[in-house]
Amino acid sequence: MADLYGDLLETVPDVSYPLSAYFPGLAITVLASLAAAYLSEHYGAPLMLMGLLIGLAFNFANGDARLHPGLGFASKTLLRWGIVLVGLQITFGQIASLGWVALGAIVAMVAIVTLSGAAAARTIGRGAAFGTLAGGAVAICGASAALAIASVLGEKRASQAQLTLVLVAVSAASAVAMSLYPALAHSLHLSDKQAGFLMGASIHDVAQALGAGYSYSPEAGQTATIVKLTRVALLAPALTVVALAFPAEGETKRGLIGLPWFVLGFLILCAIHSLFIVPEPALVGAKSATTALLLLAVTATGIRSPMNLLLEQGWRASVPVIVATLISFGLALLAALMLV
């Protein structure tokens, strides 16, 4: 994964290439992503998980240095533009509609879940940066958050193998949650709003949180949508905190209060969507473009992952994701029962 501060993989130096140099890597990334989209559509599997697994299946191609410029471009530049476009999926009005108490609870949950991942990682000797990556992915929006946080942390703090493991673990946990949480909500006799809050506040991936909510009821789906997109909106401040907590070597800040340019772009588009009427076709197109860009980034990350290092991580490296997932569910259920 490329680094916000330039701590790039040795195989992908931060230099300019002629346009033709990007084609081989981008071509294999697009082909693998199309295969992932086909499997996801026809078998109902999570799209990002399919992209990651197909990317890992193409991992052997990373041995060809001709692919490195295109793979690096997909896993860094396309990712960051995808994060920018996420801003058009939410408005400040949607967030405000929750009320200050519920909003405060969501902010607290995101912070606690992220810190729980960091604490769990330190307990097993994996380091706070890796735990922040795992906990933040669970707390905010799954694979998309993991990619964004890794972009801020950089390869020196969260390795490519660690990022890949988090992507696999968080995607699998999100898929299990999507299947399990609606049944748990029914068994607990939660109201539509309570169930929607629970699923929106605890399921990792956006599509799966919404899918679980609407599988419960239309009202639960609407509540899950607002709650989940509020968590997505917290990606920007979360990345700012991560950038300040893990500054580049020899620096305490970088840019506008440590704010990466793609986070600033995210906030600008969110403000535009909140203050102005954006044509529906533009919103639909932006959503499709976001999905496509993030899928390409995930797939390229899988292709670039050093499999030997990934295998060396072992099952214990999944502990932060598991701990954060359990804490996220417990806090979301408590908030749903007490506040909704």
Side-chain angles (χ1 to χ4, degrees):
M1 184 63 176
D3 177 10
L4 176 66
Y5 301 126
D7 303 333
L8 305 177
L9 290 172
E10 292 182 9
T11 54
V12 189
D14 193 13
V15 298
S16 298
Y17 295 94
L19 290 177
S20 59
Y22 293 96
F23 179 77
L26 287 175
I28 193 171
T29 300
V30 170
L31 288 174
S33 297
L34 288 173
Y38 176 86
L39 292 174
S40 175
E41 181 179 353
H42 285 76
Y43 296 100
L47 178 60
M48 296 301 168
L49 179 59
M50 286 296 97
L52 180 62
L53 294 178
I54 295 294
L56 290 173
F58 278 82
N59 183 259
F60 65 90
N62 193 45
D64 190 338
R66 293 173 298 178
L67 302 179
H68 292 169
L71 292 175
F73 179 82
S75 63
K76 181 179 74 170
T77 304
L78 296 186
L79 160 67
R80 293 173 179 179
W81 280 109
I83 294 170
V84 170
L85 290 178
V86 171
L88 283 178
Q89 297 183 28
I90 58 178
T91 66
F92 297 137
Q94 290 173 324
I95 298 172
S97 68
L98 290 172
W100 289 110
V101 175
L103 179 58
I106 293 171
V107 172
M109 282 188 284
V110 168
I112 293 172
V113 172
T114 302
L115 291 173
S116 71
R122 291 178 67 90
T123 300
I124 63 174
R126 295 286 174 171
F130 173 65
T132 300
L133 173 64
V138 172
I140 302 173
C141 53
S144 302
L147 288 162
I149 293 171
S151 184
V152 173
L153 289 173
E155 178 70 14
K156 292 182 180 179
R157 297 183 180 91
S159 70
Q160 189 81 14
Q162 290 175 327
L163 170 60
T164 302
L165 189 142
V166 168
L167 289 172
V168 172
V170 80
S171 296
S174 186
V176 171
M178 179 183 68
S179 303
L180 185 61
Y181 288 7
L184 288 174
H186 277 293
S187 67
L188 294 171
H189 306 291
L190 299 183
S191 68
D192 290 336
K193 285 191 175 182
Q194 287 175 326
F197 188 95
L198 169 65
M199 286 174 267
S202 59
I203 296 179
H204 319 355
D205 180 76
V206 175
Q208 291 167 339
L210 272 55
Y214 279 103
S215 71
Y216 194 88
S217 73
E219 185 178 359
Q222 293 170 2
T223 302
T225 299
I226 296 173
V227 173
K228 181 59 190 177
L229 292 181
T230 300
R231 289 168 63 196
V232 174
L234 293 176
L235 177 63
L239 291 180
T240 304
V241 172
V242 171
L244 292 172
F246 299 92
E249 294 184 9
E251 298 184 25
T252 57
K253 295 184 179 182
R254 186 179 183 91
L256 179 61
I257 61 169
L259 194 65
W261 69 264
F262 54 90
V263 180
L264 184 59
F266 172 99
L267 291 172
I268 290 173
L269 288 190
C270 183
I272 290 174
H273 191 197
S274 302
L275 300 174
F276 304 100
I277 297 177
V278 180
E280 185 64 25
L283 295 177
V284 173
K287 185 175 182 179
S288 299
T290 300
T291 301
L293 290 172
L294 294 180
L295 175 60
L296 289 168
V298 168
T299 303
T301 296
I303 296 174
R304 296 180 61 205
S305 297
M307 292 299 294
N308 59 325
L309 297 179
L310 177 61
L311 295 174
E312 289 175 4
Q313 297 296 314
W315 68 270
R316 283 167 56 85
S318 299
V319 169
V321 172
I322 296 172
V323 169
T325 297
L326 293 175
I327 290 178
S328 177
F329 175 79
L331 291 175
L333 178 59
L334 181 64
L337 292 173
M338 294 182 63
L339 302 178
V340 180

